[in-house]
Amino acid sequence: LTGTQAAKALRETVGASFQIRGAVQGGSFGESGDGYQIESTPLTEELVNQMLQVDGIKAYATTMTLPGTSDDFFFPSGAPAGQFQGNSSSEWNRDFVSGLYMLTDGRNITSEDTAVAIVSRRLADENGLSIGDTVTLTVNDVNATVRIIGLYDVDEAQEPSQDTVFIDHQTVARLTLNTNNYDSAVFYVTDPGELPDIVEQVKALNGFDPEIYTLSAQTSEYDSISSQLSTVLRLTTLLIVAAALVSAIVLILILTMRIRNRNHEAGILLSVGVSKREIVGQFLLETVILAFIAFVLSYPI
């Protein structure tokens, strides 16, 4: 790889994303007086699909959070209600990508799943639940039964909630009678270096209104290595230039010595009527042929 290609390959392994959320409009408690929910402008499926048409996006995850309860388990915090968070792909959920939540057993939720859930290991242990068990979730007196397909642990240092139950969007649709709206969506880019251009393309979409939606970029991991990456690129460029100059000087010296050793041959050719142009052309042709053979053999080596 060249320095630029290597840098691009390295950038592609570093996380960089941007998140779209609707503007906050207010908040309210559930019908039972528990589970305060922030109300925001919904993010439509149509707008999400428009964003996916922008080049450079490698993955995404949409989320929809609902306050709810269940008669089949109690929440680790002791609260009467917890959060049910719908996911198109829990693997790309920002909290899982950042390490705030860590899937330890089972598998992630995908866009193809229906009636599935991921719960915290603590919730499962305290309620005697395990992967494969079914539980019923309730939101505003609407019920949906889901099967547990995964367990997660949390980063204790950040003290995140272990009451959150991750579910699929089809279950959210059954609980809310709404299939096309989300709270937020996070999009991951292939190359963090192209994130500013991608963000500008998203802002230029017809469906994006900056007064209705907020866009925030997440480049902390890329920013932490960008200065070192620039230094490596500069050093790589200097090394390539230095190697090329040294190689050229050595090659010129070798050719000069070789031609001097062939002065007698050149004199004989001149004496028999061969022109200087033909002699120089012959020497150059020999050099080109040898160089071609050398490069062909050296490249795979």
mmCIF file of all heavy atoms in Angstrom, residues 15-60:
data_model
loop_
_atom_site.group_PDB
_atom_site.id
_atom_site.type_symbol
_atom_site.label_atom_id
_atom_site.label_comp_id
_atom_site.label_asym_id
_atom_site.label_seq_id
_atom_site.Cartn_x
_atom_site.Cartn_y
_atom_site.Cartn_z
ATOM 1 N N GLY A 15 -14.041 4.347 14.154
ATOM 2 C CA GLY A 15 -15.460 4.710 14.138
ATOM 3 C C GLY A 15 -15.683 6.195 13.947
ATOM 4 O O GLY A 15 -15.021 7.025 14.567
ATOM 5 N N ALA A 16 -16.627 6.540 13.097
ATOM 6 C CA ALA A 16 -17.078 7.915 12.926
ATOM 7 C C ALA A 16 -18.517 7.863 12.466
ATOM 8 O O ALA A 16 -18.877 7.041 11.619
ATOM 9 C CB ALA A 16 -16.214 8.666 11.919
ATOM 10 N N SER A 17 -19.347 8.708 13.024
ATOM 11 C CA SER A 17 -20.773 8.628 12.723
ATOM 12 C C SER A 17 -21.424 9.989 12.895
ATOM 13 O O SER A 17 -20.812 10.934 13.406
ATOM 14 C CB SER A 17 -21.448 7.605 13.647
ATOM 15 O OG SER A 17 -21.324 8.021 15.005
ATOM 16 N N PHE A 18 -22.666 10.078 12.464
ATOM 17 C CA PHE A 18 -23.475 11.254 12.763
ATOM 18 C C PHE A 18 -24.880 10.789 13.121
ATOM 19 O O PHE A 18 -25.358 9.760 12.653
ATOM 20 C CB PHE A 18 -23.500 12.246 11.589
ATOM 21 C CG PHE A 18 -24.144 11.722 10.339
ATOM 22 C CD1 PHE A 18 -25.489 11.926 10.072
ATOM 23 C CD2 PHE A 18 -23.400 11.017 9.396
ATOM 24 C CE1 PHE A 18 -26.078 11.450 8.916
ATOM 25 C CE2 PHE A 18 -23.972 10.534 8.236
ATOM 26 C CZ PHE A 18 -25.322 10.746 7.989
ATOM 27 N N GLN A 19 -25.517 11.548 13.988
ATOM 28 C CA GLN A 19 -26.836 11.169 14.487
ATOM 29 C C GLN A 19 -27.858 12.236 14.136
ATOM 30 O O GLN A 19 -27.573 13.436 14.220
ATOM 31 C CB GLN A 19 -26.799 10.964 16.005
ATOM 32 C CG GLN A 19 -28.099 10.427 16.600
ATOM 33 C CD GLN A 19 -27.979 10.171 18.092
ATOM 34 O OE1 GLN A 19 -27.498 11.023 18.843
ATOM 35 N NE2 GLN A 19 -28.410 9.011 18.541
ATOM 36 N N ILE A 20 -29.041 11.801 13.751
ATOM 37 C CA ILE A 20 -30.150 12.694 13.441
ATOM 38 C C ILE A 20 -31.233 12.496 14.492
ATOM 39 O O ILE A 20 -31.625 11.357 14.780
ATOM 40 C CB ILE A 20 -30.744 12.399 12.050
ATOM 41 C CG1 ILE A 20 -29.654 12.432 10.972
ATOM 42 C CG2 ILE A 20 -31.850 13.395 11.723
ATOM 43 C CD1 ILE A 20 -29.117 13.797 10.694
ATOM 44 N N ARG A 21 -31.707 13.602 15.065
ATOM 45 C CA ARG A 21 -32.804 13.553 16.035
ATOM 46 C C ARG A 21 -33.813 14.644 15.708
ATOM 47 O O ARG A 21 -33.456 15.679 15.138
ATOM 48 C CB ARG A 21 -32.310 13.751 17.462
ATOM 49 C CG ARG A 21 -31.289 12.747 17.950
ATOM 50 C CD ARG A 21 -30.999 12.948 19.423
ATOM 51 N NE ARG A 21 -32.170 12.627 20.214
ATOM 52 C CZ ARG A 21 -32.409 11.423 20.738
ATOM 53 N NH1 ARG A 21 -31.546 10.441 20.545
ATOM 54 N NH2 ARG A 21 -33.490 11.204 21.447
ATOM 55 N N GLY A 22 -35.055 14.403 16.096
ATOM 56 C CA GLY A 22 -36.070 15.428 15.939
ATOM 57 C C GLY A 22 -35.996 16.430 17.080
ATOM 58 O O GLY A 22 -35.539 16.108 18.180
ATOM 59 N N ALA A 23 -36.434 17.650 16.822
ATOM 60 C CA ALA A 23 -36.423 18.688 17.850
ATOM 61 C C ALA A 23 -37.384 18.324 18.977
ATOM 62 O O ALA A 23 -38.472 17.791 18.742
ATOM 63 C CB ALA A 23 -36.813 20.029 17.245
ATOM 64 N N VAL A 24 -36.973 18.598 20.213
ATOM 65 C CA VAL A 24 -37.808 18.292 21.373
ATOM 66 C C VAL A 24 -39.009 19.216 21.398
ATOM 67 O O VAL A 24 -38.885 20.437 21.282
ATOM 68 C CB VAL A 24 -36.991 18.435 22.676
ATOM 69 C CG1 VAL A 24 -37.887 18.220 23.890
ATOM 70 C CG2 VAL A 24 -35.831 17.452 22.680
ATOM 71 N N GLN A 25 -40.203 18.623 21.569
ATOM 72 C CA GLN A 25 -41.441 19.397 21.602
ATOM 73 C C GLN A 25 -42.054 19.454 22.992
ATOM 74 O O GLN A 25 -42.948 20.254 23.252
ATOM 75 C CB GLN A 25 -42.460 18.786 20.634
ATOM 76 C CG GLN A 25 -42.012 18.810 19.181
ATOM 77 C CD GLN A 25 -43.002 18.128 18.264
ATOM 78 O OE1 GLN A 25 -43.759 17.244 18.681
ATOM 79 N NE2 GLN A 25 -43.015 18.538 17.006
ATOM 80 N N GLY A 26 -41.583 18.596 23.882
ATOM 81 C CA GLY A 26 -42.135 18.574 25.235
ATOM 82 C C GLY A 26 -41.969 17.199 25.827
ATOM 83 O O GLY A 26 -41.143 16.400 25.378
ATOM 84 N N GLY A 27 -42.762 16.916 26.854
ATOM 85 C CA GLY A 27 -42.691 15.622 27.495
ATOM 86 C C GLY A 27 -43.946 15.338 28.279
ATOM 87 O O GLY A 27 -44.732 16.245 28.581
ATOM 88 N N SER A 28 -44.135 14.062 28.624
ATOM 89 C CA SER A 28 -45.334 13.681 29.369
ATOM 90 C C SER A 28 -45.098 12.356 30.066
ATOM 91 O O SER A 28 -44.213 11.583 29.696
ATOM 92 C CB SER A 28 -46.534 13.569 28.434
ATOM 93 O OG SER A 28 -46.320 12.540 27.471
ATOM 94 N N PHE A 29 -45.914 12.099 31.120
ATOM 95 C CA PHE A 29 -45.882 10.824 31.803
ATOM 96 C C PHE A 29 -46.862 9.869 31.134
ATOM 97 O O PHE A 29 -47.774 10.283 30.411
ATOM 98 C CB PHE A 29 -46.264 11.005 33.273
ATOM 99 C CG PHE A 29 -45.206 11.677 34.098
ATOM 100 C CD1 PHE A 29 -45.242 13.052 34.318
ATOM 101 C CD2 PHE A 29 -44.173 10.939 34.647
ATOM 102 C CE1 PHE A 29 -44.261 13.679 35.068
ATOM 103 C CE2 PHE A 29 -43.190 11.562 35.410
ATOM 104 C CZ PHE A 29 -43.234 12.930 35.623
ATOM 105 N N GLY A 30 -46.658 8.582 31.390
ATOM 106 C CA GLY A 30 -47.597 7.583 30.897
ATOM 107 C C GLY A 30 -48.933 7.690 31.585
ATOM 108 O O GLY A 30 -49.116 8.476 32.533
ATOM 109 N N GLU A 31 -49.898 6.895 31.139
ATOM 110 C CA GLU A 31 -51.236 6.961 31.693
ATOM 111 C C GLU A 31 -51.262 6.634 33.180
ATOM 112 O O GLU A 31 -52.121 7.112 33.920
ATOM 113 C CB GLU A 31 -52.160 6.003 30.920
ATOM 114 C CG GLU A 31 -52.402 6.426 29.474
ATOM 115 C CD GLU A 31 -53.361 5.499 28.772
ATOM 116 O OE1 GLU A 31 -53.813 4.521 29.395
ATOM 117 O OE2 GLU A 31 -53.672 5.759 27.590
ATOM 118 N N SER A 32 -50.320 5.815 33.642
ATOM 119 C CA SER A 32 -50.268 5.447 35.060
ATOM 120 C C SER A 32 -49.511 6.468 35.898
ATOM 121 O O SER A 32 -49.422 6.337 37.118
ATOM 122 C CB SER A 32 -49.605 4.072 35.212
ATOM 123 O OG SER A 32 -48.274 4.124 34.740
ATOM 124 N N GLY A 33 -48.972 7.489 35.256
ATOM 125 C CA GLY A 33 -48.220 8.508 35.973
ATOM 126 C C GLY A 33 -46.739 8.217 36.078
ATOM 127 O O GLY A 33 -45.990 8.975 36.697
ATOM 128 N N ASP A 34 -46.293 7.106 35.489
ATOM 129 C CA ASP A 34 -44.875 6.737 35.530
ATOM 130 C C ASP A 34 -44.297 6.762 34.121
ATOM 131 O O ASP A 34 -45.014 6.793 33.133
ATOM 132 C CB ASP A 34 -44.708 5.331 36.122
ATOM 133 C CG ASP A 34 -45.175 5.270 37.570
ATOM 134 O OD1 ASP A 34 -44.780 6.151 38.328
ATOM 135 O OD2 ASP A 34 -45.951 4.346 37.899
ATOM 136 N N GLY A 35 -42.981 6.708 34.050
ATOM 137 C CA GLY A 35 -42.322 6.592 32.747
ATOM 138 C C GLY A 35 -42.395 7.867 31.933
ATOM 139 O O GLY A 35 -43.055 7.914 30.904
ATOM 140 N N TYR A 36 -41.715 8.908 32.393
ATOM 141 C CA TYR A 36 -41.717 10.182 31.669
ATOM 142 C C TYR A 36 -41.076 10.006 30.291
ATOM 143 O O TYR A 36 -39.996 9.439 30.173
ATOM 144 C CB TYR A 36 -40.946 11.232 32.464
ATOM 145 C CG TYR A 36 -41.061 12.622 31.883
ATOM 146 C CD1 TYR A 36 -42.179 13.411 32.119
ATOM 147 C CD2 TYR A 36 -40.041 13.149 31.097
ATOM 148 C CE1 TYR A 36 -42.275 14.689 31.599
ATOM 149 C CE2 TYR A 36 -40.128 14.422 30.564
ATOM 150 C CZ TYR A 36 -41.255 15.181 30.824
ATOM 151 O OH TYR A 36 -41.361 16.450 30.291
ATOM 152 N N GLN A 37 -41.758 10.485 29.264
ATOM 153 C CA GLN A 37 -41.274 10.328 27.901
ATOM 154 C C GLN A 37 -41.133 11.688 27.234
ATOM 155 O O GLN A 37 -42.055 12.508 27.256
ATOM 156 C CB GLN A 37 -42.228 9.462 27.075
ATOM 157 C CG GLN A 37 -41.756 9.218 25.651
ATOM 158 C CD GLN A 37 -42.703 8.330 24.877
ATOM 159 O OE1 GLN A 37 -43.832 8.097 25.293
ATOM 160 N NE2 GLN A 37 -42.246 7.825 23.736
ATOM 161 N N ILE A 38 -39.954 11.925 26.667
ATOM 162 C CA ILE A 38 -39.713 13.158 25.934
ATOM 163 C C ILE A 38 -40.372 13.056 24.562
ATOM 164 O O ILE A 38 -40.206 12.060 23.859
ATOM 165 C CB ILE A 38 -38.209 13.422 25.784
ATOM 166 C CG1 ILE A 38 -37.587 13.667 27.156
ATOM 167 C CG2 ILE A 38 -37.942 14.608 24.864
ATOM 168 C CD1 ILE A 38 -36.075 13.841 27.123
ATOM 169 N N GLU A 39 -41.102 14.074 24.192
ATOM 170 C CA GLU A 39 -41.777 14.090 22.897
ATOM 171 C C GLU A 39 -40.971 14.953 21.925
ATOM 172 O O GLU A 39 -40.628 16.085 22.221
ATOM 173 C CB GLU A 39 -43.193 14.649 23.043
ATOM 174 C CG GLU A 39 -44.085 13.806 23.947
ATOM 175 C CD GLU A 39 -45.443 14.440 24.171
ATOM 176 O OE1 GLU A 39 -45.658 15.555 23.634
ATOM 177 O OE2 GLU A 39 -46.269 13.842 24.869
ATOM 178 N N SER A 40 -40.642 14.384 20.785
ATOM 179 C CA SER A 40 -39.855 15.099 19.792
ATOM 180 C C SER A 40 -40.440 14.877 18.407
ATOM 181 O O SER A 40 -41.273 13.984 18.196
ATOM 182 C CB SER A 40 -38.390 14.626 19.821
ATOM 183 O OG SER A 40 -38.318 13.237 19.562
ATOM 184 N N THR A 41 -39.997 15.702 17.474
ATOM 185 C CA THR A 41 -40.441 15.544 16.091
ATOM 186 C C THR A 41 -40.007 14.185 15.578
ATOM 187 O O THR A 41 -38.830 13.835 15.686
ATOM 188 C CB THR A 41 -39.832 16.643 15.204
ATOM 189 O OG1 THR A 41 -40.186 17.921 15.724
ATOM 190 C CG2 THR A 41 -40.332 16.520 13.771
ATOM 191 N N PRO A 42 -40.936 13.388 15.039
ATOM 192 C CA PRO A 42 -40.555 12.045 14.586
ATOM 193 C C PRO A 42 -39.638 12.090 13.365
ATOM 194 O O PRO A 42 -39.756 12.967 12.507
ATOM 195 C CB PRO A 42 -41.900 11.392 14.264
ATOM 196 C CG PRO A 42 -42.808 12.544 13.926
ATOM 197 C CD PRO A 42 -42.378 13.654 14.843
ATOM 198 N N LEU A 43 -38.734 11.144 13.325
ATOM 199 C CA LEU A 43 -37.845 10.963 12.174
ATOM 200 C C LEU A 43 -38.509 9.930 11.273
ATOM 201 O O LEU A 43 -38.719 8.791 11.676
ATOM 202 C CB LEU A 43 -36.482 10.479 12.648
ATOM 203 C CG LEU A 43 -35.385 10.313 11.603
ATOM 204 C CD1 LEU A 43 -35.040 11.659 10.990
ATOM 205 C CD2 LEU A 43 -34.149 9.687 12.226
ATOM 206 N N THR A 44 -38.843 10.331 10.064
ATOM 207 C CA THR A 44 -39.616 9.453 9.190
ATOM 208 C C THR A 44 -38.745 8.440 8.464
ATOM 209 O O THR A 44 -37.556 8.669 8.225
ATOM 210 C CB THR A 44 -40.389 10.272 8.148
ATOM 211 O OG1 THR A 44 -39.447 10.926 7.276
ATOM 212 C CG2 THR A 44 -41.268 11.318 8.817
ATOM 213 N N GLU A 45 -39.359 7.336 8.118
ATOM 214 C CA GLU A 45 -38.658 6.302 7.363
ATOM 215 C C GLU A 45 -38.231 6.824 5.998
ATOM 216 O O GLU A 45 -37.174 6.457 5.477
ATOM 217 C CB GLU A 45 -39.563 5.087 7.204
ATOM 218 C CG GLU A 45 -38.889 3.888 6.564
ATOM 219 C CD GLU A 45 -39.777 2.669 6.539
ATOM 220 O OE1 GLU A 45 -41.018 2.835 6.417
ATOM 221 O OE2 GLU A 45 -39.263 1.549 6.645
ATOM 222 N N GLU A 46 -39.029 7.717 5.428
ATOM 223 C CA GLU A 46 -38.704 8.291 4.118
ATOM 224 C C GLU A 46 -37.397 9.079 4.163
ATOM 225 O O GLU A 46 -36.546 8.954 3.277
ATOM 226 C CB GLU A 46 -39.841 9.203 3.655
ATOM 227 C CG GLU A 46 -39.590 9.851 2.298
ATOM 228 C CD GLU A 46 -40.705 10.798 1.883
ATOM 229 O OE1 GLU A 46 -41.669 10.962 2.653
ATOM 230 O OE2 GLU A 46 -40.608 11.379 0.785
ATOM 231 N N LEU A 47 -37.226 9.877 5.236
ATOM 232 C CA LEU A 47 -35.994 10.660 5.360
ATOM 233 C C LEU A 47 -34.797 9.750 5.592
ATOM 234 O O LEU A 47 -33.720 9.973 5.029
ATOM 235 C CB LEU A 47 -36.120 11.666 6.506
ATOM 236 C CG LEU A 47 -34.893 12.547 6.775
ATOM 237 C CD1 LEU A 47 -34.491 13.307 5.516
ATOM 238 C CD2 LEU A 47 -35.157 13.509 7.923
ATOM 239 N N VAL A 48 -34.967 8.709 6.400
ATOM 240 C CA VAL A 48 -33.880 7.754 6.638
ATOM 241 C C VAL A 48 -33.444 7.120 5.323
ATOM 242 O O VAL A 48 -32.247 6.988 5.038
ATOM 243 C CB VAL A 48 -34.321 6.667 7.640
ATOM 244 C CG1 VAL A 48 -33.285 5.548 7.707
ATOM 245 C CG2 VAL A 48 -34.524 7.274 9.022
ATOM 246 N N ASN A 49 -34.416 6.738 4.492
ATOM 247 C CA ASN A 49 -34.082 6.119 3.196
ATOM 248 C C ASN A 49 -33.351 7.098 2.286
ATOM 249 O O ASN A 49 -32.474 6.693 1.510
ATOM 250 C CB ASN A 49 -35.354 5.611 2.523
ATOM 251 C CG ASN A 49 -35.935 4.398 3.234
ATOM 252 O OD1 ASN A 49 -35.217 3.654 3.894
ATOM 253 N ND2 ASN A 49 -37.231 4.200 3.116
ATOM 254 N N GLN A 50 -33.708 8.390 2.359
ATOM 255 C CA GLN A 50 -32.980 9.391 1.566
ATOM 256 C C GLN A 50 -31.517 9.463 1.998
ATOM 257 O O GLN A 50 -30.612 9.549 1.163
ATOM 258 C CB GLN A 50 -33.623 10.767 1.746
ATOM 259 C CG GLN A 50 -34.938 10.961 1.015
ATOM 260 C CD GLN A 50 -35.416 12.402 1.135
ATOM 261 O OE1 GLN A 50 -34.651 13.351 1.028
ATOM 262 N NE2 GLN A 50 -36.713 12.562 1.368
ATOM 263 N N MET A 51 -31.292 9.415 3.296
ATOM 264 C CA MET A 51 -29.923 9.507 3.818
ATOM 265 C C MET A 51 -29.094 8.301 3.407
ATOM 266 O O MET A 51 -27.882 8.419 3.174
ATOM 267 C CB MET A 51 -29.964 9.636 5.338
ATOM 268 C CG MET A 51 -30.583 10.935 5.815
ATOM 269 S SD MET A 51 -30.654 11.030 7.614
ATOM 270 C CE MET A 51 -31.490 12.621 7.810
ATOM 271 N N LEU A 52 -29.731 7.154 3.298
ATOM 272 C CA LEU A 52 -29.004 5.941 2.928
ATOM 273 C C LEU A 52 -28.530 5.981 1.483
ATOM 274 O O LEU A 52 -27.682 5.173 1.084
ATOM 275 C CB LEU A 52 -29.885 4.708 3.154
ATOM 276 C CG LEU A 52 -30.193 4.373 4.611
ATOM 277 C CD1 LEU A 52 -31.140 3.188 4.707
ATOM 278 C CD2 LEU A 52 -28.910 4.084 5.384
ATOM 279 N N GLN A 53 -29.063 6.908 0.691
ATOM 280 C CA GLN A 53 -28.628 7.034 -0.698
ATOM 281 C C GLN A 53 -27.331 7.828 -0.829
ATOM 282 O O GLN A 53 -26.727 7.866 -1.895
ATOM 283 C CB GLN A 53 -29.728 7.722 -1.533
ATOM 284 C CG GLN A 53 -31.070 6.996 -1.526
ATOM 285 C CD GLN A 53 -30.951 5.553 -1.957
ATOM 286 O OE1 GLN A 53 -30.331 5.253 -2.981
ATOM 287 N NE2 GLN A 53 -31.532 4.642 -1.180
ATOM 288 N N VAL A 54 -26.902 8.469 0.258
ATOM 289 C CA VAL A 54 -25.662 9.254 0.234
ATOM 290 C C VAL A 54 -24.470 8.302 0.248
ATOM 291 O O VAL A 54 -24.388 7.394 1.078
ATOM 292 C CB VAL A 54 -25.597 10.206 1.449
ATOM 293 C CG1 VAL A 54 -24.267 10.953 1.472
ATOM 294 C CG2 VAL A 54 -26.766 11.185 1.409
ATOM 295 N N ASP A 55 -23.544 8.502 -0.676
ATOM 296 C CA ASP A 55 -22.358 7.649 -0.757
ATOM 297 C C ASP A 55 -21.479 7.814 0.484
ATOM 298 O O ASP A 55 -21.339 8.921 1.006
ATOM 299 C CB ASP A 55 -21.533 7.991 -2.000
ATOM 300 C CG ASP A 55 -22.240 7.585 -3.287
ATOM 301 O OD1 ASP A 55 -23.096 6.675 -3.221
ATOM 302 O OD2 ASP A 55 -21.953 8.190 -4.338
ATOM 303 N N GLY A 56 -20.893 6.705 0.914
ATOM 304 C CA GLY A 56 -19.961 6.758 2.040
ATOM 305 C C GLY A 56 -20.536 6.260 3.343
ATOM 306 O O GLY A 56 -19.814 6.168 4.332
ATOM 307 N N ILE A 57 -21.832 5.919 3.377
ATOM 308 C CA ILE A 57 -22.446 5.392 4.594
ATOM 309 C C ILE A 57 -22.381 3.864 4.550
ATOM 310 O O ILE A 57 -22.841 3.243 3.599
ATOM 311 C CB ILE A 57 -23.908 5.858 4.732
ATOM 312 C CG1 ILE A 57 -23.943 7.380 4.937
ATOM 313 C CG2 ILE A 57 -24.601 5.146 5.893
ATOM 314 C CD1 ILE A 57 -25.345 7.963 4.998
ATOM 315 N N LYS A 58 -21.787 3.245 5.582
ATOM 316 C CA LYS A 58 -21.600 1.797 5.575
ATOM 317 C C LYS A 58 -22.620 1.060 6.438
ATOM 318 O O LYS A 58 -22.864 -0.130 6.231
ATOM 319 C CB LYS A 58 -20.196 1.435 6.045
ATOM 320 C CG LYS A 58 -19.910 1.759 7.509
ATOM 321 C CD LYS A 58 -18.514 1.295 7.902
ATOM 322 C CE LYS A 58 -18.218 1.613 9.372
ATOM 323 N NZ LYS A 58 -16.864 1.175 9.765
ATOM 324 N N ALA A 59 -23.200 1.739 7.430
ATOM 325 C CA ALA A 59 -24.163 1.073 8.310
ATOM 326 C C ALA A 59 -25.002 2.131 9.018
ATOM 327 O O ALA A 59 -24.619 3.312 9.071
ATOM 328 C CB ALA A 59 -23.453 0.191 9.332
ATOM 329 N N TYR A 60 -26.125 1.701 9.568
ATOM 330 C CA TYR A 60 -26.982 2.640 10.293
ATOM 331 C C TYR A 60 -27.828 1.876 11.299
ATOM 332 O O TYR A 60 -27.943 0.643 11.244
ATOM 333 C CB TYR A 60 -27.889 3.409 9.323
ATOM 334 C CG TYR A 60 -29.101 2.625 8.868
ATOM 335 C CD1 TYR A 60 -30.369 2.892 9.397
ATOM 336 C CD2 TYR A 60 -28.982 1.610 7.922
ATOM 337 C CE1 TYR A 60 -31.478 2.161 8.983
ATOM 338 C CE2 TYR A 60 -30.080 0.887 7.500
ATOM 339 C CZ TYR A 60 -31.338 1.169 8.035
ATOM 340 O OH TYR A 60 -32.427 0.446 7.636
#
